[in-house]
Amino acid sequence: TANSLNELIASRFVTGAGGSFQMAGAQAYLSDISTIKNRARTMAPLMIGFSAGAAVGPFIGGFLCDYFDSVRIPFYFVAG
């Protein structure tokens, strides 16, 4: 748990940077293993997954917070 607001902001920054590195790495890997002709077909499922996660994730997190009446539950759900 974060002991201060600055610690929370710093940890969220590190988490966001890690997530962006994962996305860039996945795109680089897929572009390396696919031909130029099939690159869009190879990248489409990855982009759909990232987009769906960004669109649906906050709604699921909000539902879990309301249902279990705790702001920590979404973090336990993701970690478990």
Side-chain angles (χ1 to χ4, degrees), residues 17-75:
S20 65
F21 291 144
Q22 282 182 332
M23 187 171 175
Q27 288 175 343
Y29 174 73
L30 289 177
S31 67
D32 282 346
I33 66 168
S34 62
T35 63
I36 293 175
K37 185 177 180 181
N38 291 331
R39 191 163 294 163
R41 184 176 292 159
T42 307
M43 292 270 189
L46 178 72
M47 293 295 107
I48 290 170
F50 281 131
S51 300
V56 177
F59 292 111
I60 293 173
F63 171 76
L64 291 172
C65 285
D66 284 345
Y67 186 76
F68 292 106
D69 199 28
S70 173
V71 294
R72 293 182 179 189
I73 293 296
F75 296 102

